[in-house]
Amino acid sequence: MRIRPLAVDALIAVALTTVAVLLGDESVKQGWIALDPLGYALVALICVPVAVRSKAPLAVLLVVHLAWFVYVTVGYWPVVGSFGPMLTVYTVASLRPPRVSLPCTALMAAVWIYAGVISEDASMPSVIGQAAGFSLVLWRFGYVARRSIELARQLKREQDERARREVAEERGRIARELHDVVAHHMSVISVQAGLATFVFGSDPTTARAALGTISGTSGEALEELRRMLRVLRAEDGERGEHGGDAPEAPMPGLARLDEMVERVRTGGVPVELRVTGTPRPVAPGVELCAYRVVQEALTNVLKHAHGAAATVELAYKRGYIEVSVTNDGEGVIQDRVRTGSGHGLIGMRERAKLYGGAISIGPLSEGGFAVRLTLPTSARAAARGDDATQ
């Protein structure tokens, strides 16, 4: 459970006030005047403003040091009022640049030395050493904290930018593959249209079959075009031009899972392929999506789960297909999922989202790792959004 910063500062203010009051009761034993109502009021004025130090660090520092100056001038034990000023110096150093925080550090050292000057029997070399030492150490701690926060923010910006680039690159690759799918559809339409024209008068049955094929193929081509335009519009909104040549090889599908599995076996990973249900034609884009997800999952096994055995399952069900890749390895894949890193994991989610599928990526309770993808078999299925889980 995370506690809000203001609540933390309020607790710190209460703690500082309590410690100061308890220490103030020892003032007489240390040779200083006892705390009276004015002394307690000044202690409260030194410690209570710390509760809003993160909202107004400079104002709090000035108020606290002014109260501490008055507290010391009256003749109370300076140590009792030193906790609030020290914390405000650290706070300003952690939130403001050195040109602001260094003068504030010097202010604390000056008040500390002033307390030594007006005190009886004070050893000034010791006082000056304490003033300079405590002030510089607190400033250094605050400065390091500020730099750490800046570096963390810079790292977060770089990670976000890298993730945006990877998503954009993956969308560009998907769009080029969809372009090839659409080109295949248009080739089929062209051939069937020529056939229908050739046999229109002599063989009406063949002509009608060709026109039916044109109708179905054109519907799928239109849907793939819509998907490609969605990808390109998202890509244009996130980045500029993306280079690279479109792949020339035919787009792979589910029929080539055997070849992929054999290649992975050759790479030294025991892989088993299981197919359940009755195989049937699936929209080319859907086949490509499933193929690429299996390909990336097996690549991750090769790279990050050395010595693991994998199982690829393809299930044909009513209205949809399920593909899963599981392995019994441990280690780096889990780390990449927990941190949200990995170009391939981003690509899996983008593909699933594009085709209205659901994908889950994560470790298994019994050990190992699994990628499970469910896709509607129709290219006209409405997108349901990315259901990727970790």
Side-chain angles (χ1 to χ4, degrees), residues 18-36:
T18 303
V19 171
V21 169
L22 293 175
L23 190 61
D25 293 339
E26 302 295 321
S27 297
V28 176
K29 295 180 181 179
Q30 300 296 326
W32 300 86
I33 63 174
L35 289 181
D36 53 15

Side-chain angles (χ1 to χ4, degrees), residues 225-247:
L225 275 173
R226 293 189 188 100
R227 294 183 191 279
M228 183 168 64
L229 288 174
R230 284 200 297 270
V231 171
L232 293 175
R233 284 168 182 163
E235 183 181 354
D236 289 341
E238 294 181 7
R239 67 182 183 96
E241 252 185 88
H242 175 76
D245 299 326

Side-chain angles (χ1 to χ4, degrees), residues 71-389:
Y71 181 89
V72 169
T73 302
V74 172
Y76 298 113
W77 188 16
V79 174
V80 174
S82 63
F83 304 117
M86 287 193 289
L87 181 58
T88 59
V89 167
Y90 166 81
T91 302
V92 171
S94 66
L95 297 176
R96 296 291 183 266
R99 68 176 183 274
V100 176
S101 59
L102 282 174
C104 295
T105 305
L107 175 62
M108 174 182 159
V111 177
W112 196 301
I113 293 172
Y114 168 74
V117 170
I118 66 172
S119 300
E120 297 179 1
D121 303 326
S123 173
M124 289 310 298
S126 175
V127 170
I128 294 173
Q130 291 174 16
F134 282 116
S135 300
L136 290 176
V137 167
L138 289 167
W139 177 85
R140 180 61 181 175
F141 282 162
Y143 176 79
V144 170
R146 179 171 175 270
R147 288 292 298 153
S148 298
I149 293 172
E150 290 177 349
L151 290 174
R153 289 173 178 169
Q154 181 181 351
L155 178 61
K156 180 64 166 58
R157 288 194 296 268
E158 291 175 355
Q159 288 176 337
D160 291 343
E161 179 60 29
R162 189 181 304 113
R164 282 193 291 269
R165 284 199 306 269
E166 289 176 351
V167 169
E169 290 168 2
E170 186 63 24
R171 285 176 174 170
R173 188 159 68 97
I174 294 171
R176 289 193 298 274
E177 291 178 348
L178 290 178
H179 171 272
D180 289 347
V181 171
V182 172
H184 167 74
H185 286 319
M186 299 310 295
S187 297
V188 172
I189 290 172
S190 176
V191 170
Q192 294 295 324
L195 175 62
T197 301
F198 182 75
V199 299
F200 190 79
S202 59
D203 192 348
T205 302
T206 301
R208 280 193 296 270
L211 292 174
T213 301
I214 291 172
S215 176
T217 304
S218 61
E220 290 186 353
L222 284 173
E223 184 59 32
E224 297 294 352
L225 275 173
R226 293 189 188 100
R227 294 183 191 279
M228 183 168 64
L229 288 174
R230 284 200 297 270
V231 171
L232 293 175
R233 284 168 182 163
E235 183 181 354
D236 289 341
E238 294 181 7
R239 67 182 183 96
E241 252 185 88
H242 175 76
D245 299 326
E248 297 179 359
M251 289 299 102
L254 297 176
R256 295 179 60 184
L257 286 180
D258 282 323
E259 299 176 20
M260 185 199 307
V261 167
E262 187 58 37
R263 285 196 303 270
V264 174
R265 284 199 195 105
T266 304
V269 176
V271 184
E272 179 183 0
L273 173 63
R274 302 172 185 168
V275 180
T276 59
T278 303
R280 62 181 183 276
V282 178
V286 175
E287 282 201 51
L288 177 62
C289 176
Y291 182 92
R292 291 302 191 201
V293 168
V294 173
Q295 183 182 48
E296 184 59 38
L298 288 177
T299 300
N300 284 338
V301 175
L302 275 169
K303 289 182 178 179
H304 308 298
H306 303 294
T311 301
V312 179
E313 296 183 74
L314 168 62
Y316 289 89
K317 300 189 177 183
R318 184 180 180 85
Y320 64 96
I321 59 171
E322 286 184 350
V323 290
S324 66
V325 180
T326 58
N327 71 82
D328 55 9
E330 300 285 347
V332 180
I333 301 180
Q334 285 87 331
D335 295 336
R336 289 163 68 86
V337 170
R338 278 193 293 269
T339 59
S341 65
H343 179 87
L345 300 180
I346 294 173
M348 290 183 194
R349 295 187 177 96
E350 287 296 315
R351 290 179 184 279
K353 179 166 61 177
L354 181 63
Y355 281 93
I359 186 168
S360 65
I361 304 171
L364 298 171
S365 58
E366 63 272 19
F369 196 82
V371 175
R372 292 190 175 91
L373 172 68
T374 302
L375 287 172
T377 52
S378 170
R380 298 180 177 87
R384 297 194 301 268
D386 187 8
D387 190 27
T389 61

